[in-house]
Every structure is written in C-alpha cells, then in structure tokens.
Amino acid sequence: MGLLAEIQNDAISDKVPVATLLRKVLVLASNLDSDVLEEWVRFEMNGYPRQAEVPQYRRIKMNFKVTGGNMAYQVTNAPLASAAVMVATGDNDISILKYRQAIGSIDVDEIKKAESLSVDMMNYAHFLPGKVTERSYSIHAFWGEIPASEILGIVEAVRNRVLDFVLSLKKRYPNAGEIDAISAKEASVEKVVTQIFNTTVQGNAGVIGTANNSTVNITANSGNLQDLRNQLTQYGVNDDDLDELAVALNEEPQISSDKKFGPKVGKWVGGMLSKAASGAWDVSMQAGGALLEKALLGYYGLDS
C-alpha cells in the first residue's frame, strides 16, 4: 500500500491516533517538498509556539466564572459576562482560548469523561473588583470554562483536514497512483500543493456562511489590483479569470454602500462559483463565495 493510501485509510479510521497519522503526513510533506504542509504538521505534533498564530479550529470560546465575596455576601461558581471581563481587562480576545498544546497530549478517552474543562484566570483577578464584581469583593477563584467537546473537535478537525488534503491531491493528480509519480521539483506542482493546502488544511474548504463568519485568511489592499491578483492566485484563480475580473473592476470601480457588487463583477463572481460547483475551481462553493466576497470588499475598501 502506498503512502497516500495509508494516510487516507488512517484518516478515516478512529482507531489510528492522530499523532501517528501526522507522522505519515510529515513524510508526505517531505516528499512533496512542501514547507507550508511541513510547518503545519510540526506545529500540530510539537505544539504552537507563542509567536505562531493558531488555526481557527484551535480558538475556543470560554465562559467565565468566579468564586469570592465580602463580609456580607459570598458567591460560588457565579457566571461573569464575557463583555464585562473584556472591558475590565482591556483584552478583546480574553474570552478566546488559543489552544497551543501538541495534539498528541490530548487524551481523548479522559476528555470524553468530562463535560467541561477549566482554565485558571487568576492572573486577571485583580481587574474584576469595582468593574465586574463589587469593589469590596475578594476573588478566591477566577477561571474560564470550555466544553470538553471543543478539545475533541481539534482532533477531528486535524483528521478531517488531512483527509481533505489527500483526497484533493488525488483528485488533482488522478493518474499519479502514488506520490512518487508527482514531481515536487516542478514549479506548477509546488503551486498546486500550496493551493490545496490553503483550501483544505487552512480551513477554507469548510467555510460556512459569509466571509465575516469564515476562516478565510485573505486581505486585499484597497484599490490595489495587483495585490488582489496575487491573493486570489494563491487560492487557484487562474490568469484568464483574473484578467476578466480586472476588466469588470475597471468598468465598476465603486461599490454601493450596501456592499452589493455591480452587474459585471457580480457576473464574474457567479461564474467562479459555477466553476467551484463543477470542480473546475478546486474549492467548495461556500469557501469560494466567502473568499471572493472578502477579497473584493477589501479591494473596494470595505470590511466584509
């Protein structure tokens, strides 16, 4: 059995630990000479360092609770509004746990026994009195709670992304049979592998809804057509389609305040989504819609 087939079978099987699966993907990344795939695998295997941005599937919303009180009143396991804690601490992301631990450290069997997990937040406790709690309160414990299922979701997200990547690679090279038949030295292969990585591993292939609720990582500078082209090229939009878009944008240089594209740009977007539906553009329709919306609104100088 070849490496691609092994990885596909291991990704499908819940009996194969995800850390074992990733070690095989590391070999695949080396064979493909893919730096982006190798970096992702190593981060998942060894943990994400502080300077590295964690993927969206590792960003988990916490609910805050506190135990404390004063001479007259005591509270135990009392919920706190996340917005109030955010204002008090001045940290807009304080309610988001960026889970950086190595995926092999996640004990699936143990976590399944728990309903929730706690994160000690006592280093922020001094912000609470007078802002979130009564000023006279002494804070005995302050923590964040996350559903245990969210941690298990990290394991499933990695497994699913590996499977999506391998299936997309086999779809792009259906006659290759095995990884040795794909020449990583060809520039076109490197470009395709990076594109597949961006649309599967990065999460864009699983985008649901509009761009403001997605994990699309794309930012086009306002009015900069070359920047827009460069960004969309990374996601597999070919030169002919980009040329058509340039013509449409030249004829429709502005967008209405309700963020509706003009007829020519809208027609181009519709054509790209048709390509996504047919497989001619190797992204899902949902991912493609979110991607194009975010990129084009950025070009027009609007937030998605």
Side-chain angles (χ1 to χ4, degrees):
M1 182 183 298
L3 181 59
L4 286 179
E6 282 188 35
I7 293 174
Q8 178 178 323
N9 290 341
D10 289 354
I12 294 173
S13 174
D14 291 333
K15 295 181 180 180
V16 177
V18 71
T20 301
L21 170 65
L22 285 174
R23 283 191 282 271
K24 293 183 180 180
V25 179
L26 186 61
V27 175
L28 174 63
S30 177
N31 290 346
L32 290 173
D33 197 22
S34 174
D35 292 338
V36 290
L37 181 61
E38 180 178 343
E39 180 184 63
W40 174 72
V41 173
R42 290 193 182 279
F43 281 163
E44 288 295 335
M45 291 175 61
N46 303 322
Y48 286 77
R50 298 300 303 178
Q51 68 271 20
E53 184 65 26
V54 299
Q56 190 68 26
Y57 59 83
R58 281 178 169 265
R59 295 170 60 90
I60 303 172
K61 180 73 165 60
M62 294 189 295
N63 295 313
F64 296 117
K65 289 189 176 180
V66 67
T67 292
N70 53 25
M71 295 293 292
Y73 189 71
Q74 297 288 317
V75 294
T76 303
N77 297 341
L80 296 177
S82 296
V85 175
M86 180 181 68
V87 171
T89 60
D91 186 347
N92 292 335
D93 287 334
I94 192 170
S95 65
I96 303 298
L97 171 65
K98 297 178 181 179
Y99 195 84
R100 298 182 178 275
Q101 284 86 338
I103 200 164
S105 68
I106 299 177
D107 190 330
V108 173
D109 292 333
E110 285 299 316
I111 292 177
K112 284 182 178 178
K113 300 175 184 178
E115 291 186 3
S116 63
L117 304 174
S118 62
V119 179
D120 185 15
M121 302 291 290
M122 279 300 289
N123 54 324
Y124 290 95
H126 62 282
F127 288 106
L128 303 183
K131 296 180 180 178
V132 184
T133 66
E134 293 289 337
R135 185 175 298 276
S136 59
Y137 271 26
S138 293
I139 306 300
H140 306 314
F142 174 44
W143 68 98
E145 283 191 355
I146 57 175
S149 59
E150 294 287 344
I151 301 297
L152 297 178
I154 295 174
V155 177
E156 290 306 305
V158 170
R159 191 182 296 277
N160 291 340
R161 279 161 170 75
V162 169
L163 181 59
D164 285 343
F165 179 84
V166 171
L167 291 177
S168 295
L169 190 64
K170 292 175 69 175
K171 181 179 178 182
R172 182 58 67 93
Y173 298 103
N175 299 320
E178 190 41 58
I179 195 64
D180 292 340
I182 304 175
S183 177
K185 295 181 179 180
E186 296 180 13
S188 60
V189 171
E190 181 182 359
K191 181 179 178 181
V192 168
V193 170
T194 300
Q195 174 200 336
I196 293 174
F197 175 86
N198 286 336
T199 57
T200 56
V201 175
Q202 290 281 33
N204 300 326
V207 170
I208 299 176
T210 56
N212 58 321
N213 294 319
S214 75
T215 57
V216 173
N217 298 313
I218 185 169
T219 304
N221 293 323
S222 176
N224 190 327
L225 181 58
Q226 187 58 50
D227 184 51
L228 178 63
R229 292 183 68 108
N230 292 340
Q231 294 279 351
L232 293 180
T233 296
Q234 295 180 23
Y235 289 88
V237 181
N238 63 43
D239 289 339
D240 289 341
D241 289 325
L242 291 172
D243 289 342
E244 292 181 13
L245 175 60
V247 172
L249 290 172
N250 183 59
E251 296 183 16
E252 296 173 349
Q254 295 182 332
I255 190 173
S256 61
S257 58
D258 59 1
K259 299 182 180 180
K260 288 185 178 180
F261 299 126
K264 291 182 173 59
V265 173
K267 181 180 179 181
W268 182 87
V269 171
M272 292 303 301
L273 294 182
S274 295
K275 289 188 175 185
S278 67
W281 182 27
D282 193 17
V283 296
S284 71
M285 286 188 65
Q286 292 170 329
L291 168 68
L292 296 178
E293 179 185 12
K294 189 166 187 179
L296 287 170
L297 288 179
Y299 173 82
Y300 279 121
L302 299 174
D303 294 328
S304 56

